[in-house]
Amino acid sequence: MMRLLRTPLLIINLKNYLEASGNATIDLAVTAESVARDTGVEIALAPPSPFLSELAKAVELPILAQHLDIAGPGSTTGSLVPEIVQTAGIAGSLINHSEHRITRNEIREIIQRLDKLEMNSILCAQDQNEISELSKLLPTMVAIEPPDLIGSGVAISKAKPDLVSDCITAAHGSDSTATVICGAGIISGQDVKAALQLGAQGVLVASGIVKNKDWRKIIEEMVSPMRFFELP
Ligand code: G3P
């Protein structure tokens, strides 16, 4: 049985950045693992698909797929199948990321399959309407990411604080225990702190870490506000 992700949480999405591919994928994972150990903060990694299994063996951090298909086990060449991914020790998946959107029916099916497999489902949404609709599908957590701020270096928690608060209210409308995290443009510890102060229980970060020259320093900086943070 996989364990549920703890909060506060930092998810590092490596996307398909060349800076974190090849041997660098392991380097980043080992660095993140060492910071997680030193600080006690939960850090999960979403590497490119070819590195899922290798990372799950190399580090003790929860490893997440960036996307899964609804194809089932068996004669489904080329698909990323939840039941197969689980056998590689993967803890869950991002679903419906802005860069890989899927249909409502696909979202519903993937959440149900991951639930049955006791894997984490991190469902991404772009605004509060989507959050309120998609939260009803009861993923492990919902992640709000406005597409215009992704990769911008302008943090959601500073540029759109009302969006974060409105999404938390919307998610709690369907399930008062819903876990909400946010991402897009987060590049500093201050951005993370602002997200937590708005009520987010974690953040999703990609370019702000992957493209930083000093991975240890930036990961330490980002988890620092999470260390002693009392979640509401
Ligand atoms: O999944 C995280 C992501 O979309 C945010 O990207 O580069 O703005 O941290 P970035």
Side-chain angles (χ1 to χ4, degrees):
M1 175 172 127
M2 299 285 171
R3 71 173 172 80
L4 281 185
L5 293 168
R6 284 185 288 111
T7 55
L9 163 76
L10 167 65
I11 297 180
I12 308 175
N13 180 1
L14 309 191
K15 302 195 173 180
N16 279 310
Y17 283 120
L18 284 170
E19 291 89 334
S21 63
N23 291 337
T25 316
I26 297 279
D27 292 348
L28 198 156
V30 168
T31 304
E33 180 182 45
S34 150
V35 176
R37 263 200 205 121
D38 292 350
T39 59
V41 173
E42 178 91 308
I43 302 178
L45 292 169
S49 308
F51 296 99
L52 282 168
S53 167
E54 191 179 347
L55 287 204
K57 289 192 186 102
V59 294
E60 283 177 13
L61 302 180
I63 305 299
L64 306 170
Q66 295 176 6
H67 162 83
L68 290 174
D69 296 306
I70 56 165
S75 52
T76 48
T77 304
S79 297
L80 265 176
V81 174
E83 290 77 4
I84 301 296
V85 167
Q86 189 199 37
T87 66
I90 305 311
S93 183
L94 306 182
I95 301 171
N96 196 44
H97 191 278
S98 275
E99 293 154 8
H100 206 142
R101 303 262 287 173
I102 58 176
T103 67
R104 293 293 188 263
N105 284 344
E106 288 170 329
I107 293 173
R108 185 173 299 107
E109 172 156 355
I110 294 287
I111 290 176
Q112 284 168 356
R113 299 253 295 274
L114 291 183
D115 206 34
K116 211 162 157 197
L117 293 164
E118 300 184 321
M119 293 168 76
N120 294 276
S121 47
I122 298 96
L123 178 56
C124 302
Q126 299 184 332
D127 56 38
Q128 63 256 52
N129 291 336
E130 271 191 14
I131 287 272
S132 90
E133 184 196 339
L134 296 177
S135 300
K136 296 188 185 118
L137 303 175
L138 302 179
T140 312
M141 59 186 72
V142 282
I144 168 72
E145 291 205 329
D148 53 317
L149 294 182
I150 292 178
S152 68
V154 177
I156 175 173
S157 48
K158 291 206 176 135
K160 300 195 179 189
D162 293 349
L163 176 66
V164 178
S165 317
D166 291 349
C167 284
I168 293 171
T169 308
H172 288 172
S174 350
D175 169 13
S176 60
T177 63
T179 300
V180 184
I181 63 172
C182 67
I186 292 176
I187 54 169
S188 71
Q190 281 303 323
D191 297 340
V192 175
K193 189 172 176 192
L196 297 176
Q197 284 170 336
L198 290 166
Q201 297 191 43
V203 292
L204 259 164
V205 182
S207 54
I209 290 176
V210 174
K211 288 180 175 284
N212 193 292
K213 293 275 172 272
D214 189 338
W215 287 337
R216 170 171 290 275
K217 193 161 164 264
I218 189 63
I219 297 171
E220 278 173 353
E221 180 185 323
M222 287 197 186
V223 301
S224 160
M226 296 185 179
R227 286 189 74 172
F228 306 107
F229 200 83
E230 299 275 335
L231 288 171

